[in-house]
Amino acid sequence: MKNLFLLCIFLSLQSCYSYRNVQNIPSESGGIYKITDEHKRTSKVQLIEIRQDSLVILKKGKQFTIANGEFTNPKKRKFSAVKTVALYVGVSVVVGTVIIVAVLGDALKHVGSMQMPP
């Protein structure tokens, strides 16, 4: 029962967004991206401005300017309707199953313990 509860929590924490690969240099500002720096660290950043040889990004509330050669593998965040629907349907099925098992489990415990009057 505890494992099913934890599964419900993990399912509810899933993201409804997916990240799609884009060209080396993003072409539109304002989006959320995952980028990998030269030290192989991945970061979520918001693209504020595109300059000729650099990008101005917002990372953890601070504004940075990074050169076009300092990052690789940019991925743009995109809302995924399929993930959203699957998430809510999956969570509903799991929660419904947990409730049914809990109710039937308690009901079956009481049925076996009842005694018939003489």
Coordinates of all heavy atoms in Angstrom, one line a residue, residues 6-92:
L6 N 3.5 6.0 -2.9 CA 4.7 6.6 -3.5 C 4.6 6.7 -5.0 O 5.0 7.7 -5.6 CB 5.9 5.8 -3.0 CG 6.3 6.0 -1.6 CD1 7.5 5.1 -1.2 CD2 6.6 7.4 -1.2
L7 N 4.1 5.6 -5.6 CA 3.9 5.6 -7.1 C 3.0 6.8 -7.5 O 3.3 7.5 -8.5 CB 3.4 4.3 -7.6 CG 3.2 4.2 -9.1 CD1 4.5 4.3 -9.8 CD2 2.5 2.9 -9.4
C8 N 1.9 7.0 -6.8 CA 1.0 8.1 -7.1 C 1.7 9.4 -7.0 O 1.5 10.3 -7.8 CB -0.2 8.1 -6.2 SG -1.3 6.7 -6.4
I9 N 2.5 9.6 -6.0 CA 3.2 10.8 -5.8 C 4.2 11.1 -7.0 O 4.3 12.1 -7.5 CB 4.0 10.9 -4.4 CG1 3.0 11.0 -3.3 CG2 5.0 12.0 -4.4 CD1 3.6 10.9 -1.9
F10 N 4.9 10.0 -7.3 CA 5.9 10.2 -8.4 C 5.2 10.4 -9.8 O 5.7 11.2 -10.6 CB 6.8 8.9 -8.6 CG 7.8 8.8 -7.5 CD1 8.0 7.6 -6.8 CD2 8.6 9.8 -7.0 CE1 8.9 7.4 -5.8 CE2 9.5 9.7 -6.0 CZ 9.6 8.5 -5.4
L11 N 4.1 9.8 -10.0 CA 3.3 10.1 -11.2 C 2.8 11.5 -11.3 O 2.8 12.2 -12.3 CB 2.1 9.1 -11.3 CG 2.4 7.7 -11.8 CD1 1.2 6.9 -11.7 CD2 3.0 7.7 -13.2
S12 N 2.4 12.1 -10.1 CA 1.9 13.4 -10.1 C 3.0 14.5 -10.3 O 2.8 15.6 -10.6 CB 1.1 13.7 -8.8 OG 2.0 13.7 -7.7
L13 N 4.3 14.1 -10.0 CA 5.4 15.0 -10.2 C 6.0 15.0 -11.6 O 6.9 15.8 -11.8 CB 6.5 14.7 -9.1 CG 6.0 14.9 -7.7 CD1 7.2 14.5 -6.8 CD2 5.7 16.3 -7.4
Q14 N 5.5 14.2 -12.5 CA 6.0 14.2 -13.8 C 5.7 15.5 -14.6 O 4.7 16.2 -14.3 CB 5.4 13.0 -14.6 CG 5.7 11.7 -14.1 CD 7.2 11.5 -14.3 OE1 7.8 11.7 -15.3 NE2 7.8 11.0 -13.2
S15 N 6.6 15.8 -15.5 CA 6.4 17.1 -16.3 C 5.5 16.9 -17.5 O 5.5 15.8 -18.1 CB 7.8 17.5 -16.7 OG 7.7 18.7 -17.5
C16 N 4.8 17.9 -17.8 CA 4.0 17.9 -19.0 C 4.7 18.5 -20.2 O 4.1 18.8 -21.2 CB 2.7 18.6 -18.8 SG 1.6 17.8 -17.5
Y17 N 6.0 18.8 -20.0 CA 6.8 19.3 -21.0 C 7.8 18.3 -21.5 O 8.3 17.5 -20.8 CB 7.5 20.6 -20.5 CG 6.6 21.7 -20.2 CD1 6.1 21.9 -19.0 CD2 6.3 22.6 -21.2 CE1 5.3 23.0 -18.7 CE2 5.4 23.7 -21.0 CZ 4.9 23.9 -19.7 OH 4.1 24.9 -19.4
S18 N 8.2 18.5 -22.8 CA 9.3 17.6 -23.3 C 10.2 18.6 -24.0 O 9.9 19.7 -24.3 CB 8.7 16.6 -24.3 OG 8.0 17.2 -25.3
Y19 N 11.4 18.2 -24.2 CA 12.5 19.0 -24.8 C 12.8 18.5 -26.2 O 13.1 17.3 -26.3 CB 13.7 19.1 -23.9 CG 13.5 19.9 -22.7 CD1 12.9 19.3 -21.5 CD2 13.7 21.2 -22.7 CE1 12.6 20.1 -20.4 CE2 13.5 22.0 -21.6 CZ 12.9 21.4 -20.4 OH 12.7 22.2 -19.3
R20 N 12.8 19.3 -27.2 CA 13.1 19.0 -28.6 C 14.4 19.6 -29.0 O 14.7 20.7 -28.7 CB 12.0 19.5 -29.5 CG 10.6 19.2 -29.0 CD 10.0 18.0 -29.8 NE 8.6 17.9 -29.6 CZ 8.0 16.9 -28.9 NH1 8.7 16.0 -28.4 NH2 6.7 16.9 -28.7
N21 N 15.2 18.8 -29.7 CA 16.5 19.3 -30.2 C 16.2 20.4 -31.2 O 15.3 20.3 -32.0 CB 17.3 18.2 -30.9 CG 17.9 17.2 -29.9 OD1 18.1 17.6 -28.7 ND2 18.1 16.0 -30.3
V22 N 17.1 21.4 -31.2 CA 17.0 22.5 -32.1 C 18.4 22.7 -32.7 O 19.4 22.0 -32.4 CB 16.6 23.8 -31.5 CG1 15.1 23.7 -31.0 CG2 17.5 24.2 -30.3
Q23 N 18.5 23.6 -33.7 CA 19.8 23.9 -34.3 C 20.8 24.4 -33.2 O 20.4 24.7 -32.1 CB 19.6 25.0 -35.3 CG 18.7 24.7 -36.4 CD 19.1 23.5 -37.3 OE1 20.3 23.2 -37.4 NE2 18.1 22.7 -37.7
N24 N 22.1 24.5 -33.6 CA 23.1 24.9 -32.6 C 22.8 26.3 -31.9 O 23.0 26.4 -30.8 CB 24.5 24.9 -33.2 CG 25.0 23.6 -33.3 OD1 24.6 22.6 -32.6 ND2 26.0 23.4 -34.2
I25 N 22.3 27.2 -32.7 CA 22.0 28.5 -32.1 C 20.5 28.8 -32.2 O 19.9 28.7 -33.3 CB 22.7 29.6 -32.9 CG1 24.2 29.4 -32.8 CG2 22.4 31.0 -32.4 CD1 25.1 30.3 -33.7
P26 N 19.8 28.9 -31.1 CA 18.4 29.2 -31.1 C 18.0 30.4 -31.9 O 18.8 31.4 -32.0 CB 18.0 29.4 -29.6 CG 19.1 28.7 -28.9 CD 20.3 28.9 -29.7
S27 N 16.9 30.4 -32.6 CA 16.5 31.4 -33.5 C 15.5 32.4 -32.9 O 15.2 33.4 -33.5 CB 16.0 30.8 -34.8 OG 14.9 30.0 -34.5
E28 N 14.8 32.1 -31.8 CA 13.8 32.9 -31.3 C 14.0 33.1 -29.8 O 14.4 32.1 -29.1 CB 12.4 32.4 -31.6 CG 12.1 31.1 -31.0 CD 10.8 30.5 -31.5 OE1 10.4 30.6 -32.6 OE2 10.1 30.0 -30.6
S29 N 13.9 34.3 -29.3 CA 14.1 34.5 -27.8 C 12.8 34.3 -27.1 O 11.7 34.2 -27.7 CB 14.6 36.0 -27.6 OG 13.6 36.9 -28.1
G30 N 12.9 34.2 -25.8 CA 11.7 34.0 -24.9 C 11.4 32.6 -24.5 O 10.6 32.4 -23.6
G31 N 12.0 31.6 -25.1 CA 11.7 30.3 -24.8 C 12.6 29.7 -23.7 O 13.6 30.3 -23.3
I32 N 12.2 28.6 -23.1 CA 13.0 27.9 -22.1 C 13.8 26.8 -22.8 O 13.2 26.0 -23.6 CB 12.1 27.2 -21.1 CG1 11.1 28.3 -20.4 CG2 12.9 26.5 -20.0 CD1 11.8 29.3 -19.5
Y33 N 15.1 26.7 -22.6 CA 15.9 25.7 -23.2 C 16.7 25.0 -22.2 O 17.0 25.4 -21.0 CB 17.0 26.5 -24.1 CG 16.3 27.1 -25.3 CD1 15.8 28.3 -25.3 CD2 16.3 26.4 -26.5 CE1 15.2 28.9 -26.4 CE2 15.8 26.9 -27.7 CZ 15.2 28.2 -27.6 OH 14.6 28.7 -28.7
K34 N 17.2 23.8 -22.5 CA 18.2 23.0 -21.8 C 19.4 23.1 -22.7 O 19.4 22.7 -23.8 CB 17.8 21.5 -21.6 CG 17.0 21.2 -20.4 CD 16.8 19.7 -20.3 CE 16.0 19.4 -19.1 NZ 15.8 18.0 -18.9
I35 N 20.5 23.5 -22.1 CA 21.8 23.6 -22.8 C 22.8 22.9 -22.0 O 22.8 22.7 -20.8 CB 22.2 25.0 -23.1 CG1 22.4 25.8 -21.8 CG2 21.2 25.7 -24.0 CD1 23.0 27.2 -22.0
T36 N 23.8 22.4 -22.7 CA 25.0 21.7 -22.1 C 26.2 22.6 -22.3 O 26.5 23.0 -23.5 CB 25.2 20.3 -22.8 OG1 24.0 19.6 -22.7 CG2 26.3 19.6 -22.1
D37 N 26.9 22.9 -21.2 CA 28.1 23.8 -21.4 C 29.3 22.9 -21.7 O 29.2 21.7 -21.9 CB 28.3 24.6 -20.1 CG 28.6 23.8 -18.9 OD1 28.9 22.6 -19.0 OD2 28.6 24.4 -17.8
E38 N 30.5 23.6 -21.8 CA 31.7 22.9 -22.2 C 32.2 21.9 -21.1 O 33.0 21.0 -21.4 CB 32.8 23.9 -22.5 CG 33.2 24.8 -21.3 CD 33.1 26.3 -21.7 OE1 32.7 26.6 -22.8 OE2 33.5 27.1 -20.8
H39 N 31.7 22.0 -19.9 CA 32.0 21.1 -18.8 C 31.0 19.9 -18.7 O 31.0 19.2 -17.7 CB 32.2 21.8 -17.5 CG 33.2 22.9 -17.5 ND1 34.5 22.7 -17.7 CD2 33.0 24.3 -17.5 CE1 35.1 23.9 -17.7 NE2 34.2 24.8 -17.6
K40 N 30.1 19.8 -19.7 CA 29.1 18.7 -19.8 C 28.1 18.8 -18.7 O 27.4 17.9 -18.3 CB 29.8 17.3 -19.7 CG 30.8 17.1 -20.7 CD 30.3 16.9 -22.1 CE 31.4 16.5 -23.0 NZ 31.2 17.0 -24.4
R41 N 27.8 20.1 -18.2 CA 26.7 20.3 -17.2 C 25.5 20.8 -18.0 O 25.6 21.7 -18.9 CB 27.2 21.4 -16.2 CG 28.2 20.9 -15.3 CD 28.6 22.0 -14.3 NE 29.1 23.1 -15.1 CZ 30.1 23.9 -14.7 NH1 30.5 23.8 -13.5 NH2 30.5 24.9 -15.4
T42 N 24.4 20.3 -17.7 CA 23.1 20.6 -18.3 C 22.4 21.6 -17.4 O 22.3 21.5 -16.2 CB 22.2 19.4 -18.6 OG1 23.0 18.5 -19.3 CG2 21.0 19.8 -19.3
S43 N 21.9 22.7 -18.1 CA 21.2 23.7 -17.3 C 19.9 24.1 -18.0 O 19.8 24.1 -19.3 CB 22.0 25.0 -17.2 OG 23.2 24.7 -16.6
K44 N 18.9 24.5 -17.2 CA 17.6 25.0 -17.8 C 17.8 26.5 -17.8 O 18.1 27.1 -16.7 CB 16.4 24.7 -17.0 CG 15.9 23.3 -17.2 CD 14.7 23.0 -16.4 CE 14.3 21.6 -16.4 NZ 13.1 21.3 -15.6
V45 N 17.6 27.2 -18.9 CA 17.8 28.6 -19.0 C 16.6 29.2 -19.8 O 16.0 28.5 -20.6 CB 19.1 29.0 -19.7 CG1 20.3 28.5 -18.9 CG2 19.2 28.5 -21.1
Q46 N 16.4 30.5 -19.6 CA 15.4 31.2 -20.4 C 16.2 32.1 -21.3 O 17.1 32.9 -20.9 CB 14.5 32.0 -19.6 CG 13.4 32.8 -20.4 CD 12.4 33.6 -19.5 OE1 12.5 33.6 -18.3 NE2 11.5 34.2 -20.1
L47 N 15.9 32.1 -22.6 CA 16.6 32.9 -23.6 C 16.0 34.3 -23.7 O 14.8 34.4 -23.9 CB 16.5 32.2 -25.0 CG 17.3 32.9 -26.1 CD1 18.8 33.0 -25.8 CD2 17.1 32.1 -27.4
I48 N 16.8 35.3 -23.3 CA 16.2 36.7 -23.3 C 16.5 37.4 -24.6 O 15.6 38.1 -25.2 CB 16.9 37.4 -22.1 CG1 16.4 36.8 -20.8 CG2 16.5 38.9 -22.1 CD1 17.0 37.4 -19.6
E49 N 17.8 37.3 -25.1 CA 18.1 38.1 -26.3 C 19.1 37.3 -27.1 O 20.0 36.6 -26.6 CB 18.8 39.4 -25.8 CG 19.1 40.3 -27.0 CD 19.8 41.6 -26.5 OE1 19.8 41.9 -25.3 OE2 20.4 42.3 -27.3
I50 N 19.0 37.4 -28.4 CA 20.0 36.7 -29.3 C 20.8 37.8 -29.9 O 20.3 38.8 -30.6 CB 19.2 36.0 -30.4 CG1 18.3 34.9 -29.8 CG2 20.2 35.4 -31.4 CD1 17.4 34.3 -30.8
R51 N 22.1 37.7 -29.7 CA 23.1 38.7 -30.3 C 23.8 37.9 -31.5 O 23.7 36.7 -31.6 CB 24.0 39.2 -29.3 CG 23.3 40.0 -28.2 CD 24.3 40.6 -27.2 NE 23.6 41.3 -26.2 CZ 24.1 41.7 -25.0 NH1 25.3 41.3 -24.7 NH2 23.4 42.3 -24.2
Q52 N 24.6 38.7 -32.2 CA 25.3 38.1 -33.3 C 26.3 36.9 -32.9 O 26.3 35.9 -33.6 CB 26.1 39.1 -34.1 CG 26.7 38.7 -35.4 CD 27.3 39.8 -36.2 OE1 27.3 40.9 -35.8 NE2 27.8 39.5 -37.4
D53 N 27.0 37.1 -31.8 CA 28.0 36.1 -31.4 C 27.7 35.5 -30.0 O 28.5 34.8 -29.5 CB 29.4 36.7 -31.5 CG 29.5 37.9 -30.6 OD1 28.5 38.4 -30.1 OD2 30.7 38.3 -30.3
S54 N 26.6 35.9 -29.4 CA 26.3 35.4 -28.0 C 24.8 35.4 -27.8 O 24.0 35.9 -28.6 CB 27.0 36.3 -27.0 OG 26.5 37.6 -27.1
L55 N 24.5 34.8 -26.6 CA 23.1 34.8 -26.2 C 23.0 35.4 -24.8 O 23.9 35.2 -24.0 CB 22.6 33.4 -26.1 CG 22.6 32.5 -27.4 CD1 22.2 31.1 -27.1 CD2 21.7 33.2 -28.4
V56 N 22.0 36.1 -24.5 CA 21.7 36.6 -23.1 C 20.7 35.7 -22.6 O 19.6 35.5 -23.1 CB 21.2 38.1 -23.1 CG1 21.0 38.5 -21.7 CG2 22.3 38.9 -23.8
I57 N 21.0 35.0 -21.4 CA 20.1 34.1 -20.8 C 19.8 34.4 -19.4 O 20.5 35.2 -18.7 CB 20.7 32.6 -20.9 CG1 22.0 32.6 -20.1 CG2 20.8 32.2 -22.3 CD1 22.6 31.2 -19.9
L58 N 18.7 33.9 -18.9 CA 18.4 34.0 -17.5 C 18.4 32.6 -16.9 O 17.8 31.7 -17.3 CB 16.9 34.6 -17.3 CG 16.5 35.0 -16.0 CD1 17.3 36.2 -15.5 CD2 15.0 35.4 -16.0
K59 N 19.3 32.5 -15.9 CA 19.5 31.2 -15.2 C 19.5 31.4 -13.7 O 20.2 32.1 -13.1 CB 20.9 30.6 -15.6 CG 21.2 29.3 -15.0 CD 22.6 28.8 -15.4 CE 23.1 27.6 -14.7 NZ 24.4 27.2 -15.1
K60 N 18.5 30.7 -13.1 CA 18.3 30.8 -11.6 C 18.1 32.3 -11.2 O 18.7 32.7 -10.2 CB 19.4 30.1 -10.9 CG 19.4 28.6 -11.1 CD 20.5 28.0 -10.3 CE 20.5 26.5 -10.5 NZ 21.6 25.8 -9.8
G61 N 17.4 33.1 -12.0 CA 17.1 34.5 -11.6 C 18.3 35.4 -11.9 O 18.1 36.6 -11.6
K62 N 19.4 35.0 -12.5 CA 20.5 35.8 -12.8 C 20.7 35.9 -14.3 O 20.6 34.8 -15.0 CB 21.8 35.4 -12.1 CG 21.7 35.4 -10.6 CD 23.0 35.0 -10.0 CE 22.9 35.0 -8.4 NZ 24.0 34.5 -7.8
Q63 N 21.1 37.0 -14.8 CA 21.3 37.2 -16.2 C 22.8 37.0 -16.6 O 23.6 37.5 -15.9 CB 20.9 38.6 -16.7 CG 20.8 38.8 -18.1 CD 20.1 40.1 -18.5 OE1 19.3 40.6 -17.8 NE2 20.5 40.7 -19.6
F64 N 23.0 36.2 -17.6 CA 24.3 35.8 -18.1 C 24.4 36.1 -19.6 O 23.4 36.0 -20.3 CB 24.7 34.4 -17.8 CG 24.7 34.0 -16.4 CD1 23.6 33.4 -15.8 CD2 25.9 34.3 -15.6 CE1 23.7 33.1 -14.4 CE2 25.9 33.9 -14.3 CZ 24.8 33.3 -13.7
T65 N 25.6 36.3 -20.1 CA 25.8 36.3 -21.5 C 26.8 35.2 -21.9 O 27.9 35.1 -21.2 CB 26.5 37.7 -22.0 OG1 25.6 38.7 -21.6 CG2 26.7 37.7 -23.5
I66 N 26.4 34.3 -22.8 CA 27.3 33.2 -23.2 C 27.6 33.3 -24.7 O 26.7 33.6 -25.4 CB 26.7 31.8 -22.8 CG1 25.4 31.6 -23.4 CG2 26.6 31.7 -21.3 CD1 24.8 30.2 -23.3
A67 N 28.8 33.0 -25.0 CA 29.2 33.0 -26.4 C 28.6 31.7 -27.1 O 28.3 30.7 -26.5 CB 30.7 32.9 -26.5
N68 N 28.4 31.8 -28.4 CA 27.8 30.8 -29.1 C 28.6 29.5 -29.1 O 28.0 28.4 -29.2 CB 27.5 31.2 -30.6 CG 26.4 32.2 -30.7 OD1 25.6 32.4 -29.8 ND2 26.4 32.9 -31.8
G69 N 29.9 29.5 -28.9 CA 30.7 28.3 -28.8 C 30.8 27.7 -27.5 O 31.4 26.7 -27.3
E70 N 30.2 28.3 -26.5 CA 30.3 27.8 -25.1 C 29.2 26.8 -24.7 O 29.2 26.3 -23.6 CB 30.3 29.0 -24.1 CG 31.5 29.9 -24.2 CD 31.4 31.0 -23.1 OE1 30.5 31.0 -22.3 OE2 32.3 31.9 -23.2
F71 N 28.3 26.5 -25.6 CA 27.3 25.6 -25.2 C 27.0 24.7 -26.4 O 27.3 25.0 -27.6 CB 26.0 26.3 -24.8 CG 25.3 27.0 -25.9 CD1 24.3 26.4 -26.7 CD2 25.6 28.4 -26.2 CE1 23.7 27.1 -27.7 CE2 25.0 29.1 -27.2 CZ 24.1 28.5 -28.0
T72 N 26.5 23.5 -26.1 CA 26.1 22.5 -27.2 C 24.8 21.9 -26.9 O 24.2 22.1 -25.8 CB 27.2 21.4 -27.3 OG1 27.2 20.7 -26.0 CG2 28.5 21.9 -27.6
N73 N 24.2 21.3 -27.8 CA 23.0 20.5 -27.7 C 21.8 21.2 -27.1 O 21.3 20.8 -26.0 CB 23.3 19.2 -26.8 CG 22.3 18.2 -26.9 OD1 21.5 18.1 -27.9 ND2 22.2 17.3 -26.0
P74 N 21.5 22.4 -27.6 CA 20.3 23.1 -27.1 C 19.0 22.3 -27.4 O 18.8 21.8 -28.5 CB 20.3 24.4 -27.8 CG 21.0 24.2 -29.1 CD 22.0 23.1 -28.8
K75 N 18.1 22.3 -26.4 CA 16.8 21.6 -26.5 C 15.8 22.6 -26.1 O 15.9 23.1 -24.9 CB 16.7 20.4 -25.7 CG 17.7 19.3 -26.2 CD 17.6 18.1 -25.3 CE 18.6 17.0 -25.8 NZ 18.5 15.8 -25.0
K76 N 14.7 22.9 -26.9 CA 13.7 23.8 -26.5 C 12.6 23.1 -25.8 O 12.1 22.0 -26.2 CB 13.1 24.5 -27.8 CG 12.1 25.5 -27.4 CD 11.7 26.4 -28.6 CE 10.7 27.4 -28.0 NZ 10.4 28.4 -28.9
R77 N 12.0 23.7 -24.8 CA 10.9 23.1 -24.0 C 9.6 23.3 -24.8 O 9.4 24.4 -25.3 CB 10.8 23.8 -22.7 CG 9.7 23.2 -21.8 CD 9.7 23.6 -20.4 NE 9.1 25.0 -20.3 CZ 8.9 25.6 -19.2 NH1 9.2 25.0 -18.0 NH2 8.3 26.7 -19.2
K78 N 8.8 22.3 -24.9 CA 7.6 22.3 -25.6 C 6.5 21.6 -24.8 O 6.8 20.5 -24.2 CB 7.8 21.6 -27.0 CG 6.7 22.0 -28.0 CD 7.2 21.5 -29.4 CE 6.4 22.3 -30.4 NZ 6.8 22.1 -31.7
F79 N 5.3 22.2 -24.7 CA 4.2 21.6 -24.0 C 3.8 20.3 -24.7 O 3.6 20.3 -26.0 CB 3.1 22.6 -23.9 CG 1.9 22.0 -23.1 CD1 2.0 21.9 -21.8 CD2 0.8 21.6 -23.8 CE1 0.9 21.4 -21.0 CE2 -0.3 21.1 -23.1 CZ -0.2 21.0 -21.7
S80 N 3.6 19.3 -24.0 CA 3.2 18.0 -24.6 C 1.7 17.6 -24.1 O 1.6 17.2 -23.0 CB 4.1 16.9 -24.2 OG 3.7 15.7 -24.7
A81 N 0.8 17.8 -25.0 CA -0.6 17.4 -24.6 C -0.8 15.9 -24.4 O -1.5 15.5 -23.5 CB -1.6 17.9 -25.8
V82 N 0.0 15.1 -25.1 CA -0.1 13.7 -24.9 C 0.3 13.3 -23.5 O -0.3 12.5 -22.8 CB 0.7 12.9 -26.0 CG1 0.7 11.4 -25.7 CG2 0.1 13.2 -27.4
K83 N 1.5 13.8 -23.1 CA 2.0 13.5 -21.7 C 1.0 14.0 -20.7 O 0.8 13.4 -19.7 CB 3.3 14.2 -21.5 CG 4.5 13.5 -22.0 CD 5.8 14.2 -21.6 CE 7.0 13.5 -21.9 NZ 8.2 14.1 -21.5
T84 N 0.4 15.2 -20.9 CA -0.6 15.7 -19.9 C -1.8 14.8 -19.8 O -2.2 14.4 -18.6 CB -1.0 17.1 -20.3 OG1 0.1 17.9 -20.5 CG2 -1.9 17.7 -19.3
V85 N -2.4 14.4 -20.9 CA -3.5 13.5 -20.8 C -3.1 12.1 -20.2 O -3.8 11.6 -19.3 CB -4.1 13.3 -22.2 CG1 -5.2 12.2 -22.2 CG2 -4.7 14.6 -22.7
A86 N -2.0 11.6 -20.6 CA -1.6 10.3 -20.1 C -1.3 10.4 -18.6 O -1.6 9.5 -17.9 CB -0.3 9.8 -20.9
L87 N -0.7 11.5 -18.2 CA -0.4 11.7 -16.8 C -1.7 11.7 -15.9 O -1.8 10.9 -15.0 CB 0.3 13.0 -16.6 CG 0.5 13.5 -15.1 CD1 1.5 12.6 -14.4 CD2 0.9 14.9 -15.1
Y88 N -2.7 12.4 -16.3 CA -3.9 12.5 -15.5 C -4.7 11.2 -15.6 O -5.3 10.8 -14.6 CB -4.8 13.7 -16.0 CG -4.1 15.0 -15.5 CD1 -3.6 15.9 -16.4 CD2 -4.0 15.3 -14.1 CE1 -3.0 17.1 -16.0 CE2 -3.3 16.4 -13.7 CZ -2.9 17.3 -14.6 OH -2.2 18.4 -14.2
V89 N -4.8 10.6 -16.8 CA -5.5 9.3 -16.9 C -4.8 8.2 -16.0 O -5.4 7.5 -15.3 CB -5.6 8.8 -18.3 CG1 -6.0 7.4 -18.4 CG2 -6.5 9.7 -19.1
G90 N -3.4 8.2 -16.1 CA -2.7 7.2 -15.3 C -2.8 7.4 -13.8 O -3.0 6.5 -13.1
V91 N -2.7 8.7 -13.4 CA -2.9 9.0 -11.9 C -4.3 8.6 -11.5 O -4.5 8.0 -10.4 CB -2.5 10.4 -11.7 CG1 -3.0 10.8 -10.2 CG2 -1.1 10.7 -11.8
S92 N -5.3 8.9 -12.3 CA -6.7 8.6 -11.9 C -6.9 7.1 -11.8 O -7.5 6.6 -10.9 CB -7.6 9.1 -13.0 OG -7.5 10.5 -13.1

